[in-house]
């Protein structure tokens, strides 16, 4: 809608006038989020110049504008001028092991509530691993820590998918054990819990459709673009240029968070 709005005459625009109207009515500060900004802001895009003007107007009206992109090399570097996006480009990397653990911790309690099960049996896991677990929480901590360590390159979406596939595998295993294809009831699920095999299968299923190596390479490409030269080598990415005094005109320099 915003892209179409940029191509309309001033008296036909709807998106920004409506936002301005809401701001005036509520007296609230405005945070405008534009996703995948490269679609609007490629240098050869017909609306790129209009977008630059609109962003300058938003800045003057004290809006806070946040834009997201996976392809910063494609958008017009003039977007980063101080009167538009403030010259700040923030690199949001893939989640590290601690962050992956937090994501998994969010989704496993949801699964327990949905199924009405504890899902992590300390006795069963102790038998499988040879490690003694006293409580279901300890068993859960072991599985989540193991998964977090083995999932570099996983985005939150695929960590959620991992949990969902483990639940599907668990349900399928229970159905096969009792000879019931569908219509499982709470009594059918009683005393059931995850096995390591359930999580292993879920992990393998996700890897079959998700290229973690490609995602990690893309993450490194973006890191080098946002922080050119951070690897000690001549930067291959970023907006580079040279002024008459020999200093780089990279608009990110000294302003990158």
């Amino acid at each position: 809608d915003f892209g179409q709005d940029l191509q309309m005459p001033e008296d036909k625009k709807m998106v920004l006038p409506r936002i301005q109207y809401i701001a005036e009515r509520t007296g609230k500060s405005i945070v405008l989020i534009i996703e995948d900004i490269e679609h609007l802001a490629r240098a050869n895009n017909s609306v790129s110049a209009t977008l630059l003007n609109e962003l300058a107007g938003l800045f003057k009206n004290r809006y806070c504008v946040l834009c997201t992109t996976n392809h910063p090399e494609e958008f017009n570097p003039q977007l980063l001028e101080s009167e538009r996006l403030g010259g700040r480009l923030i690199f949001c990397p893939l989640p590290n092991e601690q962050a992956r653990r937090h994501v998994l911790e969010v989704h496993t309690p949801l699964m327990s509530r949905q199924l009405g099960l504890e899902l992590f049996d300390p006795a069963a896991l102790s038998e499988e691993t040879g490690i003694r677990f006293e409580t279901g929480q300890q068993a859960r901590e072991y599985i989540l820590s193991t998964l977090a360590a083995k999932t570099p390159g996983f985005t939150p979406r695929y960590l959620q998918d991992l949990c969902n596939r483990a639940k599907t595998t668990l349900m399928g295993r229970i159905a096969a054990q009792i000879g019931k294809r569908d219509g499982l009831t709470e009594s059918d699920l009683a005393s059931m819990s995850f096995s390591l095999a359930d999580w292993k299968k879920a992990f393998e299923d996700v890897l079959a459709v998700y290229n973690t190596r490609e995602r990690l390479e893309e993450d490194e490409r973006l890191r080098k673009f946002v922080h050119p030269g951070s690897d000690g080598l001549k930067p291959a990415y970023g907006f580079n240029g040279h002024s008459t005094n020999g200093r780089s005109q990279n608009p990110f320099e000294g302003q990158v968070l």
Side-chain angles (χ1 to χ4, degrees):
D1 291 343
F2 186 43
Q4 293 176 358
D5 215 49
L6 290 173
Q7 302 178 65
M8 301 293 289
E10 284 298 322
D11 60 341
K12 300 291 185 181
K13 293 183 185 297
M14 297 181 64
V15 177
L16 291 178
R18 180 171 180 270
I19 294 173
Q20 182 64 35
Y21 172 75
I22 294 172
E24 292 171 354
R25 286 289 302 273
T26 63
K28 302 292 185 181
S29 299
I30 295 295
V31 178
L32 182 62
I33 301 175
I34 307 173
E35 296 187 355
D36 300 324
I37 187 66
E38 72 274 5
H39 295 304
L40 296 175
R42 292 186 177 97
N44 61 352
N45 191 314
S46 60
V47 301
S48 179
T50 306
L51 176 65
L52 292 173
N53 291 333
E54 292 286 7
L55 288 177
L58 292 171
F59 179 81
K60 290 177 182 178
N61 284 287
R62 305 183 70 179
Y63 281 54
C64 179
V65 182
L66 305 175
C67 299
T68 70
T69 181
N70 283 327
H71 300 282
E73 72 282 359
E74 293 186 10
F75 65 67
N76 190 330
Q78 289 180 290
L79 279 174
L80 293 178
E81 293 175 350
S82 58
E83 70 272 19
R84 295 185 176 95
L85 295 181
R88 294 185 180 271
L89 190 67
I90 302 170
F91 174 52
C92 299
L94 288 167
N96 60 19
E97 184 173 336
Q98 182 181 16
R100 295 194 298 272
R101 171 66 180 272
H102 285 316
V103 174
L104 292 168
E105 286 175 346
V106 167
H107 292 294
T108 48
L110 293 177
M111 295 160 59
S112 299
R113 289 197 292 271
Q114 289 169 355
L115 297 178
L117 299 172
E118 176 59 33
L119 294 183
F120 297 92
D121 181 355
L125 193 61
S126 294
E127 185 176 343
E128 284 188 275
T129 63
I131 303 172
R132 183 175 179 79
F133 299 102
E134 299 290 346
T135 66
Q137 180 63 22
Q138 289 178 348
R140 178 173 173 271
E141 294 284 336
Y142 173 81
I143 288 179
L144 296 189
S145 295
T146 301
L147 288 171
K150 291 183 176 294
T151 50
F154 274 56
T155 63
R157 170 191 168 185
Y158 282 94
L159 291 168
Q160 179 183 11
D161 192 25
L162 174 60
C163 293
N164 290 337
R165 286 173 184 261
K167 182 175 71 172
T168 300
T169 302
L170 169 66
M171 299 290 282
R173 179 166 57 82
I174 294 172
Q177 287 176 1
I178 65 178
K180 197 172 185 179
R181 285 179 172 270
D182 51 31
L184 293 175
T185 64
E186 289 185 6
S187 59
D188 296 325
L189 302 176
S191 302
M192 296 295 184
S193 67
F194 281 119
S195 68
L196 283 180
D198 295 331
W199 288 100
K200 181 179 179 181
K201 184 178 186 309
F203 181 70
E204 292 172 348
D205 287 348
V206 173
L207 284 181
V209 298
Y210 179 53
N211 191 330
T212 55
R213 180 177 178 179
E214 185 178 274
R215 182 61 262 183
L216 285 166
E217 289 174 350
E218 175 70 1
D219 196 59
E220 178 66 4
R221 184 188 70 81
L222 290 170
R223 183 188 67 78
K224 287 181 178 180
F225 187 93
V226 176
H227 300 291
S230 59
D231 54 3
L233 303 176
K234 183 178 179 179
Y237 304 103
F239 295 127
N240 296 305
H242 300 281
S243 64
T244 55
N245 62 10
R247 294 184 61 186
S248 169
Q249 291 182 338
N250 180 355
F252 300 158
E253 188 173 41
Q255 302 181 60
V256 179
L257 294 182

